[in-house]
Amino acid sequence: MLKNQDHRVAVAPMMDWTDRHCRFFHRQLTGRALLYTEMVVADAVIHGARERLLGFDDVEHPVALQLGGSDPAKLAEAARIGEAFGYDEINLNVGCPSDRVQSGTFGACLMKTPVLVAECVAAMKAAVKIPVTVKCRIGVDDQDPEPALDTLADGVLAAGADALWVHARKAWLEGLSPKENREIPPLDYERVYRLKARKPNEFIGINGGIQSLGEVSAHLGHVDGAMLGRAAYHTPGILTGVDAAFYGEAVAAFDYAALIDAMGGYAARHIERGGRLGHITRHMVGLFHGLPGARRFRQILSTDANKPGAGPEVLKNAFAAINFAAAEAEAA
């Protein structure tokens, strides 16, 4: 079991969003929250371009690699590769409802085969020394979430899973798009709370629709961990309060100028390696959500950062649009 205090707050794995640039950015905002990669398919890890798929900056720690797959041997091999790359945790995706995932017989459809999921966990646990965790839904399609989640949880925890993160919605594999599956099935936090009550000695974390640090705090009264997903991506400034609120760090005014300098230096290194500024700034457009000048900040990053030859100076120009004095005056 994970130490409750270590991973009590996490940023959820999000396809097309939580790439290495996003994680580097988020790590500037919180030094303690657990970060997750996008899901990477086990076959791609074994046979693909590993540095491109798995490479990350040391500053990202603690960082977990999320794998997709349903073959225990392949997942074990991919987990070994991830451990060798330096990841702090390996997570198995049993929650993604996309068509591509279903066609590969992994993701949320694995809720229907809990014995196989347990076999995958056991194989991964035998292959690595770092924690192996699972992220799932409360059920899929017409499953009753009471027995479905209990059966899945019992199996993976008995197989040695160090934590179970539960997205507190069903996934509908027929009739709903992946986007709709993140919004339409109703949230059922109480179902996850009941699982934790039944498994008091296991790490149970919750995910789904959590919008604020206040909501994180409320959930932590019932479970061991809480994951911020789209709220952390669209309004990343909320992450600046995580370390003080949940890890005992001293409360201090966040140094946004230092953040922009750090991201500018990171961007310069990325550009030197052949990358583009837009690869990084696309994750930053919501940073100053709600502050005077935020609209102009977004405009500059959405346009100038994607022009040929754009460099770190674009970040500084965008940052200059933020009127902190006006924000302080409004708050007074």
PDB file of all heavy atoms in Angstrom, residues 31-70:
ATOM      1  N   GLY A  31       5.284  21.053  -6.164  1.00  0.00           N
ATOM      2  CA  GLY A  31       6.423  20.158  -6.039  1.00  0.00           C
ATOM      3  C   GLY A  31       6.054  18.785  -5.527  1.00  0.00           C
ATOM      4  O   GLY A  31       6.871  17.867  -5.561  1.00  0.00           O
ATOM      5  N   ARG A  32       4.815  18.622  -5.057  1.00  0.00           N
ATOM      6  CA  ARG A  32       4.481  17.402  -4.337  1.00  0.00           C
ATOM      7  C   ARG A  32       3.426  16.510  -5.006  1.00  0.00           C
ATOM      8  O   ARG A  32       3.428  15.297  -4.807  1.00  0.00           O
ATOM      9  CB  ARG A  32       3.991  17.767  -2.929  1.00  0.00           C
ATOM     10  CG  ARG A  32       4.999  18.560  -2.104  1.00  0.00           C
ATOM     11  CD  ARG A  32       6.221  17.747  -1.737  1.00  0.00           C
ATOM     12  NE  ARG A  32       5.905  16.646  -0.860  1.00  0.00           N
ATOM     13  CZ  ARG A  32       5.770  16.732   0.464  1.00  0.00           C
ATOM     14  NH1 ARG A  32       5.934  17.907   1.065  1.00  0.00           N
ATOM     15  NH2 ARG A  32       5.489  15.684   1.207  1.00  0.00           N
ATOM     16  N   ALA A  33       2.500  17.087  -5.737  1.00  0.00           N
ATOM     17  CA  ALA A  33       1.443  16.273  -6.333  1.00  0.00           C
ATOM     18  C   ALA A  33       2.043  15.217  -7.259  1.00  0.00           C
ATOM     19  O   ALA A  33       3.039  15.459  -7.947  1.00  0.00           O
ATOM     20  CB  ALA A  33       0.466  17.146  -7.113  1.00  0.00           C
ATOM     21  N   LEU A  34       1.438  14.046  -7.287  1.00  0.00           N
ATOM     22  CA  LEU A  34       1.866  12.976  -8.178  1.00  0.00           C
ATOM     23  C   LEU A  34       1.384  13.286  -9.595  1.00  0.00           C
ATOM     24  O   LEU A  34       0.207  13.603  -9.803  1.00  0.00           O
ATOM     25  CB  LEU A  34       1.282  11.642  -7.708  1.00  0.00           C
ATOM     26  CG  LEU A  34       1.550  10.414  -8.584  1.00  0.00           C
ATOM     27  CD1 LEU A  34       3.035  10.107  -8.654  1.00  0.00           C
ATOM     28  CD2 LEU A  34       0.777   9.211  -8.047  1.00  0.00           C
ATOM     29  N   LEU A  35       2.280  13.212 -10.564  1.00  0.00           N
ATOM     30  CA  LEU A  35       1.939  13.465 -11.955  1.00  0.00           C
ATOM     31  C   LEU A  35       1.884  12.152 -12.730  1.00  0.00           C
ATOM     32  O   LEU A  35       2.624  11.217 -12.425  1.00  0.00           O
ATOM     33  CB  LEU A  35       2.972  14.402 -12.596  1.00  0.00           C
ATOM     34  CG  LEU A  35       3.188  15.748 -11.903  1.00  0.00           C
ATOM     35  CD1 LEU A  35       4.233  16.569 -12.659  1.00  0.00           C
ATOM     36  CD2 LEU A  35       1.878  16.523 -11.764  1.00  0.00           C
ATOM     37  N   TYR A  36       1.020  12.108 -13.727  1.00  0.00           N
ATOM     38  CA  TYR A  36       0.845  10.915 -14.548  1.00  0.00           C
ATOM     39  C   TYR A  36       1.093  11.217 -16.016  1.00  0.00           C
ATOM     40  O   TYR A  36       0.737  12.286 -16.516  1.00  0.00           O
ATOM     41  CB  TYR A  36      -0.584  10.360 -14.412  1.00  0.00           C
ATOM     42  CG  TYR A  36      -0.794   9.498 -13.196  1.00  0.00           C
ATOM     43  CD1 TYR A  36      -1.056  10.065 -11.958  1.00  0.00           C
ATOM     44  CD2 TYR A  36      -0.699   8.113 -13.277  1.00  0.00           C
ATOM     45  CE1 TYR A  36      -1.247   9.274 -10.835  1.00  0.00           C
ATOM     46  CE2 TYR A  36      -0.887   7.312 -12.170  1.00  0.00           C
ATOM     47  CZ  TYR A  36      -1.153   7.900 -10.948  1.00  0.00           C
ATOM     48  OH  TYR A  36      -1.330   7.120  -9.843  1.00  0.00           O
ATOM     49  N   THR A  37       1.660  10.253 -16.716  1.00  0.00           N
ATOM     50  CA  THR A  37       1.786  10.352 -18.167  1.00  0.00           C
ATOM     51  C   THR A  37       0.418  10.140 -18.811  1.00  0.00           C
ATOM     52  O   THR A  37      -0.538   9.696 -18.168  1.00  0.00           O
ATOM     53  CB  THR A  37       2.722   9.276 -18.728  1.00  0.00           C
ATOM     54  OG1 THR A  37       2.101   7.982 -18.592  1.00  0.00           O
ATOM     55  CG2 THR A  37       4.067   9.276 -18.025  1.00  0.00           C
ATOM     56  N   GLU A  38       0.324  10.448 -20.093  1.00  0.00           N
ATOM     57  CA  GLU A  38      -0.782   9.937 -20.882  1.00  0.00           C
ATOM     58  C   GLU A  38      -0.674   8.407 -20.887  1.00  0.00           C
ATOM     59  O   GLU A  38       0.385   7.848 -20.628  1.00  0.00           O
ATOM     60  CB  GLU A  38      -0.689  10.423 -22.324  1.00  0.00           C
ATOM     61  CG  GLU A  38      -0.595  11.905 -22.527  1.00  0.00           C
ATOM     62  CD  GLU A  38      -0.232  12.232 -23.956  1.00  0.00           C
ATOM     63  OE1 GLU A  38      -1.140  12.320 -24.793  1.00  0.00           O
ATOM     64  OE2 GLU A  38       0.965  12.408 -24.240  1.00  0.00           O
ATOM     65  N   MET A  39      -1.770   7.735 -21.217  1.00  0.00           N
ATOM     66  CA  MET A  39      -1.682   6.283 -21.366  1.00  0.00           C
ATOM     67  C   MET A  39      -0.791   5.933 -22.554  1.00  0.00           C
ATOM     68  O   MET A  39      -0.923   6.507 -23.634  1.00  0.00           O
ATOM     69  CB  MET A  39      -3.061   5.677 -21.586  1.00  0.00           C
ATOM     70  CG  MET A  39      -3.039   4.152 -21.663  1.00  0.00           C
ATOM     71  SD  MET A  39      -4.603   3.453 -22.226  1.00  0.00           S
ATOM     72  CE  MET A  39      -4.617   3.975 -23.934  1.00  0.00           C
ATOM     73  N   VAL A  40       0.123   4.990 -22.338  1.00  0.00           N
ATOM     74  CA  VAL A  40       0.992   4.485 -23.402  1.00  0.00           C
ATOM     75  C   VAL A  40       0.720   2.985 -23.534  1.00  0.00           C
ATOM     76  O   VAL A  40       0.746   2.255 -22.537  1.00  0.00           O
ATOM     77  CB  VAL A  40       2.482   4.729 -23.083  1.00  0.00           C
ATOM     78  CG1 VAL A  40       3.343   4.333 -24.280  1.00  0.00           C
ATOM     79  CG2 VAL A  40       2.733   6.193 -22.710  1.00  0.00           C
ATOM     80  N   VAL A  41       0.456   2.536 -24.732  1.00  0.00           N
ATOM     81  CA  VAL A  41       0.135   1.131 -24.959  1.00  0.00           C
ATOM     82  C   VAL A  41       1.387   0.271 -24.778  1.00  0.00           C
ATOM     83  O   VAL A  41       2.485   0.648 -25.214  1.00  0.00           O
ATOM     84  CB  VAL A  41      -0.447   0.944 -26.381  1.00  0.00           C
ATOM     85  CG1 VAL A  41      -0.731  -0.531 -26.661  1.00  0.00           C
ATOM     86  CG2 VAL A  41      -1.718   1.766 -26.532  1.00  0.00           C
ATOM     87  N   ALA A  42       1.218  -0.857 -24.116  1.00  0.00           N
ATOM     88  CA  ALA A  42       2.362  -1.722 -23.808  1.00  0.00           C
ATOM     89  C   ALA A  42       3.137  -2.115 -25.055  1.00  0.00           C
ATOM     90  O   ALA A  42       4.376  -2.121 -25.064  1.00  0.00           O
ATOM     91  CB  ALA A  42       1.882  -2.973 -23.061  1.00  0.00           C
ATOM     92  N   ASP A  43       2.437  -2.443 -26.146  1.00  0.00           N
ATOM     93  CA  ASP A  43       3.128  -2.814 -27.390  1.00  0.00           C
ATOM     94  C   ASP A  43       4.013  -1.680 -27.891  1.00  0.00           C
ATOM     95  O   ASP A  43       5.113  -1.923 -28.404  1.00  0.00           O
ATOM     96  CB  ASP A  43       2.102  -3.174 -28.470  1.00  0.00           C
ATOM     97  CG  ASP A  43       1.659  -4.631 -28.379  1.00  0.00           C
ATOM     98  OD1 ASP A  43       2.472  -5.469 -27.942  1.00  0.00           O
ATOM     99  OD2 ASP A  43       0.507  -4.925 -28.742  1.00  0.00           O
ATOM    100  N   ALA A  44       3.545  -0.441 -27.740  1.00  0.00           N
ATOM    101  CA  ALA A  44       4.340   0.706 -28.192  1.00  0.00           C
ATOM    102  C   ALA A  44       5.593   0.866 -27.338  1.00  0.00           C
ATOM    103  O   ALA A  44       6.674   1.190 -27.845  1.00  0.00           O
ATOM    104  CB  ALA A  44       3.498   1.978 -28.139  1.00  0.00           C
ATOM    105  N   VAL A  45       5.452   0.633 -26.049  1.00  0.00           N
ATOM    106  CA  VAL A  45       6.608   0.717 -25.157  1.00  0.00           C
ATOM    107  C   VAL A  45       7.654  -0.320 -25.553  1.00  0.00           C
ATOM    108  O   VAL A  45       8.855  -0.032 -25.592  1.00  0.00           O
ATOM    109  CB  VAL A  45       6.173   0.502 -23.697  1.00  0.00           C
ATOM    110  CG1 VAL A  45       7.395   0.393 -22.781  1.00  0.00           C
ATOM    111  CG2 VAL A  45       5.270   1.642 -23.239  1.00  0.00           C
ATOM    112  N   ILE A  46       7.211  -1.518 -25.872  1.00  0.00           N
ATOM    113  CA  ILE A  46       8.135  -2.609 -26.184  1.00  0.00           C
ATOM    114  C   ILE A  46       8.785  -2.425 -27.548  1.00  0.00           C
ATOM    115  O   ILE A  46       9.992  -2.641 -27.706  1.00  0.00           O
ATOM    116  CB  ILE A  46       7.389  -3.967 -26.121  1.00  0.00           C
ATOM    117  CG1 ILE A  46       6.880  -4.218 -24.691  1.00  0.00           C
ATOM    118  CG2 ILE A  46       8.284  -5.111 -26.598  1.00  0.00           C
ATOM    119  CD1 ILE A  46       5.901  -5.380 -24.580  1.00  0.00           C
ATOM    120  N   HIS A  47       7.989  -2.000 -28.531  1.00  0.00           N
ATOM    121  CA  HIS A  47       8.481  -2.005 -29.911  1.00  0.00           C
ATOM    122  C   HIS A  47       8.704  -0.604 -30.487  1.00  0.00           C
ATOM    123  O   HIS A  47       9.305  -0.490 -31.564  1.00  0.00           O
ATOM    124  CB  HIS A  47       7.484  -2.743 -30.821  1.00  0.00           C
ATOM    125  CG  HIS A  47       7.217  -4.149 -30.395  1.00  0.00           C
ATOM    126  ND1 HIS A  47       8.181  -5.133 -30.437  1.00  0.00           N
ATOM    127  CD2 HIS A  47       6.090  -4.739 -29.905  1.00  0.00           C
ATOM    128  CE1 HIS A  47       7.661  -6.271 -30.004  1.00  0.00           C
ATOM    129  NE2 HIS A  47       6.393  -6.063 -29.673  1.00  0.00           N
ATOM    130  N   GLY A  48       8.229   0.444 -29.813  1.00  0.00           N
ATOM    131  CA  GLY A  48       8.273   1.778 -30.389  1.00  0.00           C
ATOM    132  C   GLY A  48       9.510   2.574 -30.012  1.00  0.00           C
ATOM    133  O   GLY A  48      10.492   2.037 -29.479  1.00  0.00           O
ATOM    134  N   ALA A  49       9.438   3.872 -30.318  1.00  0.00           N
ATOM    135  CA  ALA A  49      10.544   4.794 -30.033  1.00  0.00           C
ATOM    136  C   ALA A  49      10.474   5.174 -28.550  1.00  0.00           C
ATOM    137  O   ALA A  49       9.744   6.082 -28.162  1.00  0.00           O
ATOM    138  CB  ALA A  49      10.429   6.029 -30.919  1.00  0.00           C
ATOM    139  N   ARG A  50      11.231   4.494 -27.742  1.00  0.00           N
ATOM    140  CA  ARG A  50      11.067   4.602 -26.288  1.00  0.00           C
ATOM    141  C   ARG A  50      11.370   5.997 -25.756  1.00  0.00           C
ATOM    142  O   ARG A  50      10.662   6.489 -24.878  1.00  0.00           O
ATOM    143  CB  ARG A  50      11.930   3.552 -25.593  1.00  0.00           C
ATOM    144  CG  ARG A  50      11.441   2.139 -25.848  1.00  0.00           C
ATOM    145  CD  ARG A  50      12.317   1.103 -25.184  1.00  0.00           C
ATOM    146  NE  ARG A  50      11.894  -0.245 -25.550  1.00  0.00           N
ATOM    147  CZ  ARG A  50      12.549  -1.344 -25.208  1.00  0.00           C
ATOM    148  NH1 ARG A  50      13.690  -1.252 -24.499  1.00  0.00           N
ATOM    149  NH2 ARG A  50      12.098  -2.536 -25.570  1.00  0.00           N
ATOM    150  N   GLU A  51      12.421   6.620 -26.237  1.00  0.00           N
ATOM    151  CA  GLU A  51      12.748   7.943 -25.719  1.00  0.00           C
ATOM    152  C   GLU A  51      11.630   8.928 -26.023  1.00  0.00           C
ATOM    153  O   GLU A  51      11.264   9.753 -25.183  1.00  0.00           O
ATOM    154  CB  GLU A  51      14.074   8.440 -26.298  1.00  0.00           C
ATOM    155  CG  GLU A  51      14.488   9.825 -25.811  1.00  0.00           C
ATOM    156  CD  GLU A  51      14.591   9.939 -24.301  1.00  0.00           C
ATOM    157  OE1 GLU A  51      15.035   8.973 -23.646  1.00  0.00           O
ATOM    158  OE2 GLU A  51      14.215  11.006 -23.776  1.00  0.00           O
ATOM    159  N   ARG A  52      11.066   8.857 -27.203  1.00  0.00           N
ATOM    160  CA  ARG A  52       9.966   9.752 -27.557  1.00  0.00           C
ATOM    161  C   ARG A  52       8.731   9.456 -26.715  1.00  0.00           C
ATOM    162  O   ARG A  52       8.040  10.375 -26.270  1.00  0.00           O
ATOM    163  CB  ARG A  52       9.625   9.609 -29.045  1.00  0.00           C
ATOM    164  CG  ARG A  52       8.453  10.497 -29.496  1.00  0.00           C
ATOM    165  CD  ARG A  52       8.184  10.344 -30.981  1.00  0.00           C
ATOM    166  NE  ARG A  52       7.827   8.990 -31.355  1.00  0.00           N
ATOM    167  CZ  ARG A  52       6.587   8.480 -31.212  1.00  0.00           C
ATOM    168  NH1 ARG A  52       5.620   9.209 -30.683  1.00  0.00           N
ATOM    169  NH2 ARG A  52       6.330   7.239 -31.590  1.00  0.00           N
ATOM    170  N   LEU A  53       8.458   8.194 -26.479  1.00  0.00           N
ATOM    171  CA  LEU A  53       7.260   7.808 -25.745  1.00  0.00           C
ATOM    172  C   LEU A  53       7.402   7.967 -24.226  1.00  0.00           C
ATOM    173  O   LEU A  53       6.430   8.305 -23.548  1.00  0.00           O
ATOM    174  CB  LEU A  53       6.905   6.348 -26.052  1.00  0.00           C
ATOM    175  CG  LEU A  53       6.418   6.045 -27.471  1.00  0.00           C
ATOM    176  CD1 LEU A  53       6.396   4.544 -27.697  1.00  0.00           C
ATOM    177  CD2 LEU A  53       5.034   6.641 -27.697  1.00  0.00           C
ATOM    178  N   LEU A  54       8.589   7.704 -23.719  1.00  0.00           N
ATOM    179  CA  LEU A  54       8.764   7.600 -22.272  1.00  0.00           C
ATOM    180  C   LEU A  54       9.680   8.649 -21.667  1.00  0.00           C
ATOM    181  O   LEU A  54       9.722   8.787 -20.439  1.00  0.00           O
ATOM    182  CB  LEU A  54       9.319   6.212 -21.910  1.00  0.00           C
ATOM    183  CG  LEU A  54       8.485   4.997 -22.331  1.00  0.00           C
ATOM    184  CD1 LEU A  54       9.185   3.720 -21.885  1.00  0.00           C
ATOM    185  CD2 LEU A  54       7.079   5.063 -21.767  1.00  0.00           C
ATOM    186  N   GLY A  55      10.426   9.368 -22.483  1.00  0.00           N
ATOM    187  CA  GLY A  55      11.386  10.319 -21.932  1.00  0.00           C
ATOM    188  C   GLY A  55      10.717  11.397 -21.094  1.00  0.00           C
ATOM    189  O   GLY A  55       9.610  11.844 -21.395  1.00  0.00           O
ATOM    190  N   PHE A  56      11.388  11.798 -20.029  1.00  0.00           N
ATOM    191  CA  PHE A  56      10.859  12.871 -19.185  1.00  0.00           C
ATOM    192  C   PHE A  56      12.011  13.566 -18.481  1.00  0.00           C
ATOM    193  O   PHE A  56      13.126  13.063 -18.428  1.00  0.00           O
ATOM    194  CB  PHE A  56       9.835  12.335 -18.171  1.00  0.00           C
ATOM    195  CG  PHE A  56      10.390  11.400 -17.128  1.00  0.00           C
ATOM    196  CD1 PHE A  56      10.782  11.876 -15.881  1.00  0.00           C
ATOM    197  CD2 PHE A  56      10.511  10.033 -17.380  1.00  0.00           C
ATOM    198  CE1 PHE A  56      11.283  11.020 -14.911  1.00  0.00           C
ATOM    199  CE2 PHE A  56      11.007   9.167 -16.417  1.00  0.00           C
ATOM    200  CZ  PHE A  56      11.402   9.662 -15.178  1.00  0.00           C
ATOM    201  N   ASP A  57      11.720  14.733 -17.942  1.00  0.00           N
ATOM    202  CA  ASP A  57      12.715  15.528 -17.241  1.00  0.00           C
ATOM    203  C   ASP A  57      12.748  15.104 -15.774  1.00  0.00           C
ATOM    204  O   ASP A  57      11.701  14.849 -15.164  1.00  0.00           O
ATOM    205  CB  ASP A  57      12.350  17.014 -17.343  1.00  0.00           C
ATOM    206  CG  ASP A  57      13.471  17.936 -16.907  1.00  0.00           C
ATOM    207  OD1 ASP A  57      13.758  17.957 -15.691  1.00  0.00           O
ATOM    208  OD2 ASP A  57      14.049  18.625 -17.760  1.00  0.00           O
ATOM    209  N   ASP A  58      13.933  15.046 -15.192  1.00  0.00           N
ATOM    210  CA  ASP A  58      14.058  14.606 -13.800  1.00  0.00           C
ATOM    211  C   ASP A  58      13.227  15.441 -12.835  1.00  0.00           C
ATOM    212  O   ASP A  58      12.815  14.958 -11.775  1.00  0.00           O
ATOM    213  CB  ASP A  58      15.524  14.641 -13.361  1.00  0.00           C
ATOM    214  CG  ASP A  58      16.309  13.450 -13.881  1.00  0.00           C
ATOM    215  OD1 ASP A  58      15.673  12.467 -14.325  1.00  0.00           O
ATOM    216  OD2 ASP A  58      17.555  13.493 -13.843  1.00  0.00           O
ATOM    217  N   VAL A  59      12.971  16.691 -13.195  1.00  0.00           N
ATOM    218  CA  VAL A  59      12.215  17.557 -12.300  1.00  0.00           C
ATOM    219  C   VAL A  59      10.780  17.066 -12.112  1.00  0.00           C
ATOM    220  O   VAL A  59      10.110  17.447 -11.155  1.00  0.00           O
ATOM    221  CB  VAL A  59      12.217  19.006 -12.834  1.00  0.00           C
ATOM    222  CG1 VAL A  59      11.253  19.173 -14.004  1.00  0.00           C
ATOM    223  CG2 VAL A  59      11.860  19.998 -11.736  1.00  0.00           C
ATOM    224  N   GLU A  60      10.305  16.201 -13.001  1.00  0.00           N
ATOM    225  CA  GLU A  60       8.915  15.743 -12.936  1.00  0.00           C
ATOM    226  C   GLU A  60       8.618  14.825 -11.757  1.00  0.00           C
ATOM    227  O   GLU A  60       7.459  14.643 -11.400  1.00  0.00           O
ATOM    228  CB  GLU A  60       8.531  15.037 -14.234  1.00  0.00           C
ATOM    229  CG  GLU A  60       8.523  15.937 -15.458  1.00  0.00           C
ATOM    230  CD  GLU A  60       8.251  15.152 -16.731  1.00  0.00           C
ATOM    231  OE1 GLU A  60       7.430  14.213 -16.701  1.00  0.00           O
ATOM    232  OE2 GLU A  60       8.879  15.458 -17.764  1.00  0.00           O
ATOM    233  N   HIS A  61       9.606  14.236 -11.152  1.00  0.00           N
ATOM    234  CA  HIS A  61       9.344  13.328 -10.026  1.00  0.00           C
ATOM    235  C   HIS A  61       8.566  14.025  -8.919  1.00  0.00           C
ATOM    236  O   HIS A  61       8.803  15.194  -8.630  1.00  0.00           O
ATOM    237  CB  HIS A  61      10.662  12.810  -9.447  1.00  0.00           C
ATOM    238  CG  HIS A  61      11.412  11.882 -10.351  1.00  0.00           C
ATOM    239  ND1 HIS A  61      10.978  10.615 -10.664  1.00  0.00           N
ATOM    240  CD2 HIS A  61      12.583  12.041 -11.015  1.00  0.00           C
ATOM    241  CE1 HIS A  61      11.856  10.043 -11.478  1.00  0.00           C
ATOM    242  NE2 HIS A  61      12.831  10.897 -11.717  1.00  0.00           N
ATOM    243  N   PRO A  62       7.628  13.295  -8.266  1.00  0.00           N
ATOM    244  CA  PRO A  62       7.205  11.917  -8.554  1.00  0.00           C
ATOM    245  C   PRO A  62       6.278  11.862  -9.766  1.00  0.00           C
ATOM    246  O   PRO A  62       5.333  12.632  -9.874  1.00  0.00           O
ATOM    247  CB  PRO A  62       6.468  11.508  -7.279  1.00  0.00           C
ATOM    248  CG  PRO A  62       5.931  12.791  -6.728  1.00  0.00           C
ATOM    249  CD  PRO A  62       6.951  13.842  -7.069  1.00  0.00           C
ATOM    250  N   VAL A  63       6.582  10.902 -10.648  1.00  0.00           N
ATOM    251  CA  VAL A  63       5.819  10.763 -11.886  1.00  0.00           C
ATOM    252  C   VAL A  63       5.549   9.288 -12.154  1.00  0.00           C
ATOM    253  O   VAL A  63       6.423   8.439 -11.971  1.00  0.00           O
ATOM    254  CB  VAL A  63       6.571  11.424 -13.067  1.00  0.00           C
ATOM    255  CG1 VAL A  63       7.964  10.833 -13.257  1.00  0.00           C
ATOM    256  CG2 VAL A  63       5.762  11.351 -14.354  1.00  0.00           C
ATOM    257  N   ALA A  64       4.321   9.006 -12.577  1.00  0.00           N
ATOM    258  CA  ALA A  64       3.883   7.633 -12.816  1.00  0.00           C
ATOM    259  C   ALA A  64       3.636   7.416 -14.300  1.00  0.00           C
ATOM    260  O   ALA A  64       3.140   8.306 -15.000  1.00  0.00           O
ATOM    261  CB  ALA A  64       2.613   7.327 -12.036  1.00  0.00           C
ATOM    262  N   LEU A  65       3.958   6.234 -14.776  1.00  0.00           N
ATOM    263  CA  LEU A  65       3.710   5.835 -16.157  1.00  0.00           C
ATOM    264  C   LEU A  65       2.413   5.037 -16.207  1.00  0.00           C
ATOM    265  O   LEU A  65       2.284   4.014 -15.539  1.00  0.00           O
ATOM    266  CB  LEU A  65       4.867   4.973 -16.673  1.00  0.00           C
ATOM    267  CG  LEU A  65       4.659   4.255 -18.010  1.00  0.00           C
ATOM    268  CD1 LEU A  65       4.474   5.249 -19.155  1.00  0.00           C
ATOM    269  CD2 LEU A  65       5.827   3.307 -18.292  1.00  0.00           C
ATOM    270  N   GLN A  66       1.455   5.519 -17.003  1.00  0.00           N
ATOM    271  CA  GLN A  66       0.225   4.749 -17.174  1.00  0.00           C
ATOM    272  C   GLN A  66       0.313   3.906 -18.440  1.00  0.00           C
ATOM    273  O   GLN A  66       0.605   4.411 -19.526  1.00  0.00           O
ATOM    274  CB  GLN A  66      -1.014   5.638 -17.261  1.00  0.00           C
ATOM    275  CG  GLN A  66      -2.288   4.773 -17.282  1.00  0.00           C
ATOM    276  CD  GLN A  66      -3.573   5.555 -17.383  1.00  0.00           C
ATOM    277  OE1 GLN A  66      -3.842   6.168 -18.407  1.00  0.00           O
ATOM    278  NE2 GLN A  66      -4.375   5.522 -16.331  1.00  0.00           N
ATOM    279  N   LEU A  67       0.072   2.612 -18.277  1.00  0.00           N
ATOM    280  CA  LEU A  67       0.118   1.657 -19.384  1.00  0.00           C
ATOM    281  C   LEU A  67      -1.276   1.204 -19.772  1.00  0.00           C
ATOM    282  O   LEU A  67      -2.173   1.094 -18.925  1.00  0.00           O
ATOM    283  CB  LEU A  67       0.947   0.435 -18.998  1.00  0.00           C
ATOM    284  CG  LEU A  67       2.434   0.649 -18.738  1.00  0.00           C
ATOM    285  CD1 LEU A  67       3.074  -0.646 -18.266  1.00  0.00           C
ATOM    286  CD2 LEU A  67       3.141   1.178 -19.990  1.00  0.00           C
ATOM    287  N   GLY A  68      -1.443   0.908 -21.056  1.00  0.00           N
ATOM    288  CA  GLY A  68      -2.649   0.277 -21.551  1.00  0.00           C
ATOM    289  C   GLY A  68      -2.309  -1.076 -22.131  1.00  0.00           C
ATOM    290  O   GLY A  68      -1.284  -1.228 -22.800  1.00  0.00           O
ATOM    291  N   GLY A  69      -3.143  -2.050 -21.876  1.00  0.00           N
ATOM    292  CA  GLY A  69      -2.906  -3.382 -22.397  1.00  0.00           C
ATOM    293  C   GLY A  69      -3.725  -4.411 -21.656  1.00  0.00           C
ATOM    294  O   GLY A  69      -4.363  -4.101 -20.644  1.00  0.00           O
ATOM    295  N   SER A  70      -3.700  -5.639 -22.153  1.00  0.00           N
ATOM    296  CA  SER A  70      -4.437  -6.718 -21.501  1.00  0.00           C
ATOM    297  C   SER A  70      -3.671  -8.032 -21.520  1.00  0.00           C
ATOM    298  O   SER A  70      -4.196  -9.059 -21.088  1.00  0.00           O
ATOM    299  CB  SER A  70      -5.803  -6.919 -22.179  1.00  0.00           C
ATOM    300  OG  SER A  70      -5.637  -7.214 -23.562  1.00  0.00           O
TER     301      SER A  70
END
